[in-house]
């Protein structure tokens, strides 16, 4: 269980390579979707020259700039029906093996988790994976805001407000968005402290609610950075 009292990120050890294999640039494996049936940190603009405009962070399709989605685009060993979790660790890793005895491998939620990451680029994740599985793959953890303590909620709200502020700069006065609520928040830990945010927004002086997805980077003891964002089409937002 995650610590509800902060800090979020920067406390986890760097995952081992394990199931997370480094890809060659441009390589993508054709893996089908799994059918399961049923005062805020400031942005640092000091490197920009006078009169220089920021390059927009808006994208038509999210890019895996961190190589953390790529492992899920390949078939993972955890998807195999004959996967033996006891064979995943060496026999001298007693702590992990004891943990597996206490919580035997349940394939269904693992498949659900993999499907959610693979099919939504990490934004629509509400399933949790076993702790032992985190040792071999970059993992995504949903933040349940309705149950989270004030620290978590403030952290996510700060990130969301920074994202909206930077998105409005990208819009270059074409329009401005106001944050209505954070609909979903998913976090990844070291080496990349990233927040995958699904935000309900509205345009200034308009009542209609729209959906924006944004990836906010929060390196430890460094300013926040908006990396990518996208205004989601209504049909995709409802999916």
């Amino acid at each position: 269980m995650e610590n509800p009292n902060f800090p979020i990120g920067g406390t986890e050890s760097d995952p081992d390579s394990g199931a997370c294999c480094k890809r060659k640039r441009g390589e993508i494996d054709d893996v089908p979707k799994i059918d399961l049936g049923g005062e805020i940190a400031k942005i640092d603009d000091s490197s920009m020259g006078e009169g220089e405009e920021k390059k927009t962070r808006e994208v038509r399709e999210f890019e895996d700039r961190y190589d953390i989605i790529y492992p899920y685009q390949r078939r993972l060993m955890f998807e195999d029906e004959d996967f033996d979790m006891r064979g995943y660790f060496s026999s001298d890793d007693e702590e992990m093996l004891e943990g597996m005895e206490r919580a035997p491998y349940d394939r269904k939620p693992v498949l659900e988790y993999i499907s959610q990451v693979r099919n939504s680029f990490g934004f629509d994740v509400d399933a949790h994976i076993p702790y032992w599985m985190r040792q071999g793959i970059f993992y995504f953890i949903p933040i349940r805001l309705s149950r989270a303590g004030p620290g978590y909620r403030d952290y996510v709200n700060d990130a969301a407000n920074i994202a909206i502020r930077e998105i409005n700069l990208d819009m270059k006065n074409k329009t401005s968005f106001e944050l209505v609520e954070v609909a979903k928040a998913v976090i990844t830990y070291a080496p990349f402290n990233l927040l995958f945010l699904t935000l309900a927004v509205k345009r200034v002086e308009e009542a209609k609610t729209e959906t924006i997805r944004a990836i906010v980077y929060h390196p430890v003891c460094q300013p926040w950075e908006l990396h990518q964002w996208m205004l989601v089409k209504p049909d995709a937002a409802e999916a």
Side-chain angles (χ1 to χ4, degrees):
M1 180 177 296
E2 284 69 52
N3 182 355
N5 297 317
F6 250 68
I8 302 178
T11 60
E12 295 284 332
S13 59
D14 187 358
D16 298 328
S17 57
C20 177
C21 302
K22 188 73 172 180
R23 71 181 172 109
K24 295 180 181 179
R25 293 287 179 181
E27 283 188 350
I28 295 180
D29 293 333
D30 184 14
V31 178
K33 293 183 178 181
I34 299 174
D35 184 3
L36 298 174
E39 176 147 278
I40 293 177
K42 297 180 179 179
I43 301 294
D44 183 6
D45 295 333
S46 59
S47 61
M48 294 176 56
E50 185 177 353
E52 181 181 350
E53 293 185 352
K54 274 189 175 181
K55 182 179 178 181
T56 182
R57 280 69 53 96
E58 183 179 13
V59 296
R60 294 186 178 181
E61 183 176 347
F62 285 107
E63 302 171 6
D64 186 13
R65 301 174 184 173
Y66 334 95
D67 280 344
I68 60 176
I69 299 293
Y70 172 70
Y72 296 91
Q73 295 175 324
R74 309 175 67 182
R75 183 172 179 84
L76 298 172
M77 65 178 71
F78 312 110
E79 299 176 61
D80 296 338
E81 292 187 7
D82 60 351
F83 172 69
D84 180 5
M85 69 177 187
R86 291 189 61 84
Y88 187 59
F89 293 95
S90 62
S91 58
D92 58 352
D93 199 338
E94 297 180 2
E95 183 178 352
M96 282 296 176
L97 294 175
E98 290 175 2
M100 292 177 188
E101 291 290 350
R102 293 192 298 270
Y105 179 62
D106 186 349
R107 186 167 176 264
K108 184 177 179 180
V110 171
L111 287 181
E112 183 180 13
Y113 166 82
I114 294 172
S115 174
Q116 290 175 353
V117 175
R118 179 180 292 161
N119 301 341
S120 74
F121 205 87
F123 284 95
D124 292 333
V125 178
D126 57 27
H128 286 267
I129 57 174
Y131 180 77
W132 59 265
M133 188 174 165
R134 301 179 185 180
Q135 305 306 303
I137 194 169
F138 294 115
Y139 56 94
F140 295 73
I141 297 178
I143 301 177
R144 305 188 192 282
L145 295 173
S146 61
R147 305 177 188 175
Y152 272 111
R153 290 196 298 271
D154 290 347
Y155 182 86
V156 172
N157 286 331
D158 285 355
N161 282 303
I162 286 172
I164 293 299
R165 187 180 73 191
E166 292 296 293
I167 288 167
N168 286 336
L169 289 177
D170 282 356
M171 296 301 292
K172 299 177 182 177
N173 298 322
K174 293 178 183 177
T175 187
S176 292
F177 293 104
E178 294 179 345
L179 179 64
V180 176
E181 68 172 344
V182 180
K184 292 182 181 179
V186 178
I187 192 169
T188 67
Y189 285 113
F192 302 107
N193 300 309
L194 298 164
L195 272 168
F196 289 68
L197 302 174
T198 301
L199 309 174
V201 301
K202 66 177 182 178
R203 298 175 193 265
V204 175
E205 299 180 356
E206 293 187 15
K208 184 178 73 170
T209 301
E210 299 179 82
T211 300
I212 283 178
R213 284 180 171 167
I215 300 176
V216 177
Y217 177 44
H218 188 198
V220 178
C221 300
Q222 296 293 325
W224 307 70
E225 299 176 24
L226 172 66
H227 273 198
Q228 304 178 65
W229 70 275
M230 179 193 301
L231 183 62
V232 182
K233 294 181 180 179
D235 55 346
E238 294 169 2

